Amino acid sequence: MIRFVLPFILFILFLVEGTWFQIFVPFSTNQEIVLVPRFLLIAVVLIAIFRGPLTGVIIGAASGLLYDFVYTDLLGIYMFSFGFTAYLSSFTYRTVRVSYIWQLIIILGAILIFEWVTYGLYYMIGYTDILFEEFFRTRLVPSWLLNGGAALLFLYPFRKLFEKLEEYEELQQR
Amino acid sequence: MPHFFSNKRLIILMVSIIVLVALIGFSMRGREAVTWPEKFARDSVGVAQSVFSKPAHFAAGFFGDISDLIHVYEENELLKSRLDEYASLSAQLDSIKQENDTLKDMIDAEESLTDYVMRSALVIHRAPDHWTETIGINKGEQDGIQKDMAVITAEGLIGKIDTTSEFTSTVQLLSDGSRTNRVSAMVSTESDPVYAFIEGWDANREGLMLRKIESNATIKEGQKVMTSGLGGIFPRGLAIGEIVEIEADEYGLTYNALIKPSADFYNIEQVNVIERTSESLDESLKQESDGEKEEEEPVEMKEDDIGGSP
């Protein structure tokens, strides 16, 4: 059963991004900023840190594919961005695993890379024509603040979860 | 960082970029329908989204109710003042309806472009990255939803059906920036309606752009804009918004107008999907309208299979 915990949590986060967040934080162009929740990305990065690059990339690509299927008509953009970001942020060192500060820094870096890659791809195929400066002001900085805050809430429960998972796996190996 | 970009990794990266380009190319090709894995994913996720969205809408509605309660007095005053106006308007409407029916009987017109059936649906998600403005609703092909049908809220038109799967569909909102996002619209003036296209969203000024208005048309700020029904799928007369600004386009040949949409694109809970009942006009009407073609201008050039309005 415990094997399905991670996919289940990711799926819940996926639904929260598209349904709950959109209802409770109504989007408005008045505010000059675009708040985009990237909770799924935070979880994928943490998985890449704690479970290694291969698991991270696979889970990232799978979540990205679901994202592409459900929320956009274009295939591939989120699959690639999630997988790529998961790979780049898979710092599996012990120092990172024990330090919340390092994890937060890596998550913020991952958000930068992720937002940049998706913006670049959308810009390239002509879905958006905003310039980098505007992208930085209206999307990247708000995204950092919002998702950085969310990451602070996620770090502790996720570490506990990964500890539980490791304990369980050790038990099984015996 | 020893594991970054060794030879094998580099090859994998290259391969995945090629796959990415291939997938984007495949999905940008102007597909008629989505593929079956997409439909399957959307349907299964749609079930969970419906379960998630109902309590959320309920909770959001509850807080909305509380704030409504605070404004109830002011609203009551306003509504009272409107009530007299309403009584006279509804009497007028009745007489006009009767007159319209008799006139329709006289010309034997059974269908008109304004006829439609409506299906209500619940909004179950909205694309979280606001690169594209789409929402998902919990009705699909099984409920008779088809691509390009008009979608409205109580206030007015919000968009059209973009893709459908068995039990869910996605709606492309009018505020979406995609180039294919255009609606044939008309401005109701005192004399003949003026036809033009709703094309795109002006993010800086927060409004829809009504383009290709003929330069000899007499339009004013404050006039109502609605769907023209000439595009083939939308019925006639769905409210879109009203004109707030008029300007000449960059070549000075036609006018552009900024439209303040009557519907709110942001807090959408329940939508109605509109299916036009009259497929196209009768053959006899079509021939009649052939003579008038010169007058019916730009819309006609593109969609001459539909003919003029009755």
Side-chain angles (χ1 to χ4, degrees):
Chain A
M1 276 312 276
I2 204 155
R3 260 185 304 164
F4 299 112
V5 166
L6 277 183
F8 180 73
I9 291 172
L10 288 172
F11 187 63
I12 296 291
L13 288 176
F14 176 79
L15 292 183
V16 167
E17 277 187 17
T19 305
W20 280 9
F21 190 86
Q22 305 304 321
I23 293 172
F24 290 119
V25 189
F27 170 72
S28 165
T29 44
N30 282 333
Q31 292 156 355
E32 275 284 300
I33 55 166
V34 182
L35 283 177
V36 182
R38 299 291 188 200
F39 307 148
L40 196 57
L41 179 74
I42 299 171
V44 166
V45 169
L46 286 173
I47 288 172
I49 290 173
F50 282 94
R51 313 288 292 177
L54 188 65
T55 323
V57 169
I58 290 171
I59 287 216
S63 330
L65 190 65
L66 191 66
Y67 207 100
D68 280 332
F69 275 179
V70 177
Y71 294 139
T72 66
D73 277 346
L74 288 171
L75 303 177
I77 289 187
Y78 280 99
M79 192 170 93
F80 176 78
S81 319
F82 269 106
F84 186 66
T85 316
Y87 181 70
L88 287 191
S89 50
S90 57
F91 294 88
T92 50
Y93 312 112
R94 194 162 165 73
T95 16
V96 175
R97 284 188 183 174
V98 294
S99 150
Y100 288 135
I101 302 288
W102 271 116
Q103 287 168 20
L104 190 65
I105 291 170
I106 291 170
I107 286 172
L108 290 180
I111 290 170
L112 167 70
I113 293 164
F114 184 83
E115 296 277 5
W116 202 343
V117 168
T118 48
Y119 160 72
L121 286 170
Y122 272 116
Y123 189 84
M124 214 167 66
I125 59 176
Y127 263 54
T128 180
D129 50 5
I130 63 170
L131 297 173
F132 182 79
E133 191 190 354
E134 194 184 345
F135 157 75
F136 187 84
R137 188 164 43 81
T138 60
R139 280 177 177 267
L140 188 58
V141 173
S143 175
W144 262 337
L145 294 177
L146 172 75
N147 297 309
L152 286 179
L153 298 177
F154 286 177
L155 287 176
Y156 178 74
F158 264 96
R159 179 192 280 192
K160 284 283 162 227
L161 176 74
F162 289 124
E163 277 171 11
K164 278 261 157 47
L165 276 175
E166 261 161 40
E167 270 172 37
Y168 179 80
E169 273 156 15
E170 268 172 32
L171 276 176
Q172 271 204 327
Q173 273 175 2
R174 266 180 223 157
Chain B
M1 290 172 275
H3 71 257
F4 276 25
F5 302 132
S6 62
N7 260 342
K8 198 174 133 208
R9 318 266 172 199
L10 207 60
I11 290 168
I12 292 175
L13 183 71
M14 287 299 165
V15 168
S16 53
I17 288 177
I18 290 167
V19 170
L20 167 77
V21 170
L23 275 174
I24 291 178
F26 167 74
S27 46
M28 275 193 70
R29 216 181 36 183
R31 307 181 282 169
E32 270 302 295
V34 289
T35 52
W36 68 264
E38 279 172 274
K39 285 189 180 182
F40 178 74
R42 284 182 190 181
D43 286 335
S44 3
V45 172
V47 175
Q49 283 171 335
S50 301
V51 172
F52 258 62
S53 63
K54 270 173 196 148
H57 279 306
F58 178 77
F62 179 72
F63 291 116
D65 286 347
I66 290 179
S67 72
D68 281 351
L69 221 55
I70 296 165
H71 300 296
V72 85
Y73 177 76
E74 293 154 35
E75 244 174 47
N76 198 16
E77 290 294 297
L78 189 73
L79 289 177
K80 262 184 196 158
S81 66
R82 291 256 179 93
L83 205 59
D84 302 332
E85 202 182 320
Y86 168 75
S88 72
L89 265 180
S90 71
Q92 216 175 357
L93 183 68
D94 272 347
S95 75
I96 285 174
K97 257 188 189 162
Q98 266 173 12
E99 196 184 322
N100 196 13
D101 282 345
T102 21
L103 287 175
K104 263 188 192 164
D105 279 347
M106 280 164 71
I107 59 165
D108 293 329
E110 277 164 12
E111 298 185 317
S112 96
L113 289 174
T114 42
D115 293 343
Y116 55 79
V117 287
M118 212 155 77
R119 297 183 180 86
S120 73
L122 188 75
V123 176
I124 52 173
H125 72 76
R126 186 184 183 119
D129 63 341
H130 289 276
W131 292 121
T132 57
E133 293 290 337
T134 56
I135 56 173
I137 57 174
N138 68 344
K139 289 271 164 73
E141 280 163 25
Q142 292 289 323
D143 308 281
I145 309 280
Q146 277 158 28
K147 191 175 158 65
D148 286 334
M149 281 181 181
V151 180
I152 60 166
T153 59
E155 291 100 38
L157 186 76
I158 56 165
K160 63 179 179 196
I161 299 283
D162 190 22
T163 58
T164 54
S165 58
E166 292 301 313
F167 306 107
T168 61
S169 11
T170 56
V171 179
Q172 184 182 39
L173 299 180
L174 289 177
S175 52
D176 188 85
S178 161
R179 278 192 207 94
T180 56
N181 196 10
R182 45 157 75 181
V183 174
S184 168
M186 61 181 182
V187 185
S188 59
T189 57
E190 278 107 47
S191 52
D192 287 342
V194 175
Y195 294 99
F197 287 102
I198 294 279
E199 276 182 0
W201 174 260
D202 191 321
N204 297 328
R205 291 183 294 175
E206 292 250 336
L208 295 161
M209 291 308 294
L210 185 71
R211 293 183 202 275
K212 303 201 177 74
I213 308 168
E214 310 148 63
S215 51
N216 57 2
T218 47
I219 51 169
K220 292 198 292 278
E221 277 142 35
Q223 279 173 334
K224 297 265 184 293
V225 180
M226 53 190 80
T227 56
S228 69
L230 297 175
I233 296 139
F234 285 18
R236 195 182 177 87
L238 301 176
I240 297 174
E242 65 179 47
I243 299 179
V244 283
E245 230 180 285
I246 302 167
E247 66 205 6
D249 79 343
E250 56 260 56
Y251 307 113
L253 297 172
T254 57
Y255 284 110
N256 292 342
L258 185 74
I259 311 294
K260 185 176 169 291
S262 51
D264 178 7
F265 294 145
Y266 302 120
N267 302 307
I268 312 164
E269 182 185 339
Q270 196 94 33
V271 296
N272 293 312
V273 184
I274 301 281
E275 183 184 5
R276 194 166 99 180
T277 44
S278 70
E279 285 300 313
S280 65
L281 291 173
D282 298 340
E283 281 304 307
S284 57
L285 276 174
K286 217 177 210 171
Q287 278 159 11
E288 260 174 54
S289 67
D290 275 351
E292 302 163 14
K293 274 220 164 124
E294 263 91 28
E295 294 160 33
E296 289 279 355
E297 314 78 32
V299 180
E300 283 311 287
M301 313 272 196
K302 302 220 148 132
E303 316 187 50
D304 42 11
D305 52 327
I306 286 110
S309 56

